[in-house]
Amino acid sequence: MSTVRVLTSNREPSSTTNPYITMLTAALRRTPGVEVVTFSYRAALFGRYSLVHLHWPETVIGLGGGRRAGVLGRWVLAALLLVRLTVTRTPMVRTVHNVELPADAGRLQRALLRWFDRLTTHRILLNDRTESPGPATTIPHGHYRDWYTGPRSTMLPGRLQYVGLVRRYKGVEGLVEAFRSVADGSVTLGIAGAASTHELAATITTLADGDPRVTLRFGFLSDDELVATVTAAELVVLPYRFMHNSGTVLAALSLDRPVLVPDTPVNADLAAEVGPGWIHTFAGDLTRDALLAALSAAREPRTAAPDLGAREWTGAGAAHLAVYRAALSRAGSGVRA
């Protein structure tokens, strides 16, 4: 079979790239029959490729910040790319990381994102609970055991830790409020990760003010810093208001730390997959009682490490190539999802 030349929606991986993207790019480049072209507008608009593999389309259209002139320019370039893909009927594969449009997308941005959706030929789902309006294949999110290899910290009894990007839908404000009502002075809380806005960081800082048990660190974490931060925790707490897929859950599990997450069908499936004692859940708004109950449960005996055998990277490249070939075949038949 001929080589599939795939344009990915991510730029060439760097030290600050999402590790999932870096590991997937490496897996694809190890796979015979795949040639990876990482994203640039020059490559996207004028380059040669067989199909497009899209992850977070909002990054292509510049959602999330920047000077207004630059953002407007990216909207124009994204529209030109969409025109090219429409006219040439180039197939598009989309990995479904988020099931809803970004809350901060404006009218024009939503129109561009829906255009990407309409052009999608085949979807890659990270779990079997994700619904798809067209052809789809589930390829589970891989683990990070081979990625996060830096020095580990000694676990601090009573340490609750949030880690990852701090965005409003992730409920960090509610975590701080729930923690402030915990009377036990031996329980501490850490918040570590870059905040999406200065206003959100200021809100969380105000909520935590006056409690010396709360440690805030707003900013990018290097891989080694993330390893040190997560492994110092007795329990990683991800108080999301909505959670469907989460690489941070897998990062914590890859570092052998139990996690408190919302009670969802996806998280229930993950709990059954990795074994008892690793995934703890809360329903509704996060409360003091839920925090203390999860911390107590995390102290019960469990296996030395969660079972992540279903999330090895060895077959990821071949699984993606099979999807690419299915998308090309479908596009060649003149059928659009």
Side-chain angles (χ1 to χ4, degrees):
M1 288 187 176
S2 61
T3 296
V4 176
R5 186 175 169 88
V6 54
L7 174 72
T8 62
S9 62
N10 58 281
R11 299 184 183 274
E12 190 65 27
S14 68
S15 61
T16 59
T17 301
N18 184 319
Y20 169 83
I21 294 296
T22 302
M23 297 177 78
L24 177 58
T25 301
L28 291 173
R29 285 176 167 160
R30 292 193 301 265
T31 303
V34 179
E35 180 181 356
V36 175
V37 179
T38 52
F39 190 86
S40 71
Y41 282 108
R42 180 181 295 276
L45 295 176
F46 305 110
R48 180 178 58 85
Y49 45 86
S50 311
L51 81 164
V52 174
H53 184 178
L54 193 66
H55 286 276
W56 293 275
E58 55 266 31
T59 64
V60 177
I61 66 172
L63 184 62
R67 295 182 178 179
R68 181 170 178 79
V71 172
L72 289 173
R74 291 180 70 173
W75 292 352
V76 172
L77 291 170
L80 290 173
L81 171 59
L82 286 162
V83 169
R84 171 183 170 163
L85 299 180
T86 301
V87 171
T88 61
R89 298 190 63 81
T90 301
M92 181 186 297
V93 170
R94 166 93 179 272
T95 296
V96 184
H97 294 273
N98 302 316
V99 296
E100 296 181 347
L101 292 175
D104 53 348
R107 182 177 300 177
L108 177 57
Q109 293 164 319
R110 286 175 176 267
L112 292 172
L113 293 173
R114 290 193 177 103
W115 193 350
F116 276 115
D117 272 345
R118 290 195 299 271
L119 293 182
T120 299
T121 311
H122 198 112
R123 288 170 174 80
I124 293 174
L125 313 180
L126 298 177
N127 64 72
D128 290 330
R129 298 280 184 175
T130 305
E131 297 182 0
S132 174
T137 300
T138 299
I139 304 178
H141 192 307
H143 64 67
Y144 293 116
R145 280 180 173 157
D146 302 324
W147 183 264
Y148 292 126
T149 58
R152 298 191 175 201
S153 302
T154 300
M155 189 270 287
L156 302 176
R159 181 66 164 185
L160 306 175
Q161 182 69 52
Y162 173 88
V163 67
L165 291 175
V166 179
R167 305 182 69 176
R168 291 207 179 272
Y169 80 88
K170 294 188 175 184
V172 179
E173 311 99 295
L175 168 58
V176 175
E177 290 178 317
F179 175 80
R180 290 293 301 263
S181 64
V182 173
D184 188 344
S186 68
V187 182
T188 61
L189 172 66
I191 307 292
S196 58
T197 66
H198 294 299
E199 292 77 12
L200 179 55
T203 297
I204 294 170
T205 300
T206 299
L207 289 171
D209 187 45
D211 192 331
R213 300 174 301 162
V214 182
T215 303
L216 304 178
R217 180 184 175 182
F218 296 116
F220 173 78
L221 297 180
S222 69
D223 291 339
D224 284 355
E225 289 169 334
L226 185 142
V227 171
T229 300
V230 169
T231 54
E234 187 169 13
L235 177 69
V236 173
V237 182
L238 302 177
Y240 294 20
R241 297 187 180 97
F242 175 80
M243 177 182 284
H244 190 71
N245 297 302
S246 173
T248 307
V249 171
L250 290 172
L253 294 174
S254 297
L255 291 167
D256 304 327
R257 287 297 181 267
V259 187
L260 175 62
V261 291
D263 186 6
T264 68
V266 173
N267 287 333
D269 291 345
L270 183 60
E273 176 188 334
V274 302
W278 292 102
I279 300 289
H280 306 277
T281 61
F282 67 92
D285 294 330
L286 183 62
T287 63
R288 174 200 61 190
D289 291 344
L291 282 175
L292 293 176
L295 182 59
S296 176
R299 291 169 172 170
E300 295 296 320
R302 58 177 181 268
T303 56
D307 182 359
L308 299 176
R311 297 173 181 274
E312 298 291 346
W313 284 92
T314 50
H320 280 77
L321 177 57
V323 170
Y324 297 158
R325 294 202 187 283
L328 287 166
S329 176
R330 185 174 180 84
S333 70
V335 178
R336 178 76 74 178

